[in-house]
Amino acid sequence: MQVREFAAALLAAPDLEAKLTPPLSLLKDDAPAGGVPPQRPARAPEIAIRTGPEIKVPPLEGMADPAQRVRILHAFANHELQAVELFAWALLNFSEAPEQFRRGLLSTLRDEQRHARLYIHRLEELGGHFGDYPLSGYFWGKLGHYSTPRGFVCAMCLTFENANLDHTLEYAAAATRAGDEKTAKVLYEVHADEIRHVRFGLEWLDAFKEASEERVAAWEATLEWPLRPALARGYRLHEEPRRVAGFDETFLKRLAQADVRDRQEGSQSP
């Protein structure tokens, strides 16, 4: 099977199981071109993307309440599902991108599938079911920001996944305070992978930008409103995992300066 065939089938599949099943064998990628990727993924009615005020998710403090914790895990699982679909979309959209870049997209897609399964499994252990609550399509709503490989890594890897370096640690700590070490363990596992995903974004931003451009300036110049530095971090900036991912001090300083109060539109935290 070709990578593009796998990606197209994933986006066209309406059921969750098909979207979260990794390729069973090594995929070929010697015929990446073929067709225009969809503007929205197929979704069964029970996991359909919705919009509007019905999508309400508890804040961090809700981790102390088992019922709210289920809704938070539900939201995190939905973030991962959207990421799975969007990395598949990128594999279709960026057919002419470098081979190593495409391999990285596929590897990250597999990680996102595993993350979604981890959250859904923990959700079910707590008595929930994926699809019990309305599902946001926020990441899909920013499709115009992903029109180039550089735009894709700046938005997905260096904004949304960058912010998740903070969110996963904060929610894991909240789960521990609530006595739920199983949920904390899931969040820490996702966090470890996010470091690698952010590193992938940094490496390819370096590859795609002009040699004369400063890395942080190139990232910020690529972002289009409402994406902005405030959405690339949590309320507390955790610098150490970012240093492990490869951030330089200039980039860290810019994130530290971002106004965390300016997170109303587009915050990816549940």
Side-chain angles (χ1 to χ4, degrees):
M1 176 184 281
Q2 292 283 341
V3 168
R4 64 176 173 78
E5 294 173 320
F6 167 73
L10 188 154
L11 288 168
D15 62 290
L16 185 63
E17 184 62 28
K19 289 182 182 294
L20 299 185
T21 300
L24 299 179
S25 59
L26 187 65
L27 298 178
K28 298 179 181 179
D29 197 25
D30 52 11
V36 177
Q39 298 299 294
R40 281 290 186 272
R43 292 279 190 95
E46 61 271 17
I47 58 170
I49 289 174
R50 301 188 194 177
T51 58
E54 63 180 341
I55 302 174
K56 295 179 180 179
V57 184
L60 175 65
E61 293 75 18
M63 289 294 278
D65 177 359
Q68 295 184 69
R69 196 179 311 147
V70 164
R71 298 201 67 168
I72 291 169
L73 286 166
H74 191 274
F76 271 129
N78 181 46
H79 290 163
E80 301 295 341
L81 175 58
Q82 290 181 81
V84 167
E85 294 168 331
L86 282 166
F87 276 89
W89 177 91
L91 285 165
L92 293 179
N93 199 53
F94 306 133
S95 59
E96 302 302 319
E99 178 185 359
Q100 287 297 112
F101 177 69
R102 289 176 56 77
R103 286 182 182 176
L105 293 177
L106 182 60
S107 175
T108 303
L109 186 158
R110 288 176 170 134
D111 285 344
E112 308 293 12
Q113 288 178 317
R114 183 167 51 81
H115 295 171
R117 285 190 179 277
L118 285 169
Y119 284 130
I120 291 170
H121 178 68
R122 183 63 189 139
L123 173 70
E124 291 173 345
E125 288 182 331
L126 293 174
H129 178 75
F130 191 67
D132 280 348
Y133 307 102
L135 297 168
S136 164
Y138 173 73
F139 295 160
W140 272 102
K142 297 295 182 283
L143 202 62
H145 298 262
Y146 317 140
S147 58
T148 65
R150 172 170 162 168
F152 186 83
V153 298
C154 284
M156 286 298 296
C157 302
L158 299 179
T159 303
F160 301 140
E161 292 189 294
N162 191 3
N164 214 25
L165 292 177
D166 297 324
H167 299 323
T168 46
L169 291 181
E170 295 302 318
Y171 280 85
T176 296
R177 290 194 295 271
D180 186 350
E181 290 296 343
K182 285 188 176 182
T183 293
K185 182 179 179 182
V186 168
L187 286 158
Y188 284 129
E189 185 170 343
V190 172
H191 175 82
D193 287 339
E194 295 288 37
I195 293 174
R196 188 171 65 255
H197 298 172
V198 172
R199 182 185 299 120
F200 169 78
L202 284 172
E203 290 172 349
W204 282 99
L205 172 59
D206 288 343
F208 293 136
K209 72 179 183 62
E210 298 296 327
S212 59
E213 290 181 287
E214 291 290 337
R215 179 191 273 174
V216 66
W219 168 67
E220 198 164 355
T222 306
L223 298 181
E224 299 176 33
W225 183 266
L227 301 189
R228 56 199 185 279
L231 300 185
R233 55 165 294 178
Y235 287 103
R236 177 187 171 192
L237 182 70
H238 294 261
E239 293 188 352
E240 187 53 32
R242 289 179 169 86
R243 288 193 176 94
V244 174
F247 281 87
D248 55 54
E249 295 305 312
T250 302
F251 211 135
L252 289 174
K253 183 178 180 180
R254 179 64 188 95
L255 290 172
Q257 292 171 339
D259 187 351
V260 294
R261 296 168 298 178
D262 180 30
R263 293 178 47 81
Q264 290 304 308
E265 202 290 337
S267 173
Q268 80 151 94
S269 59

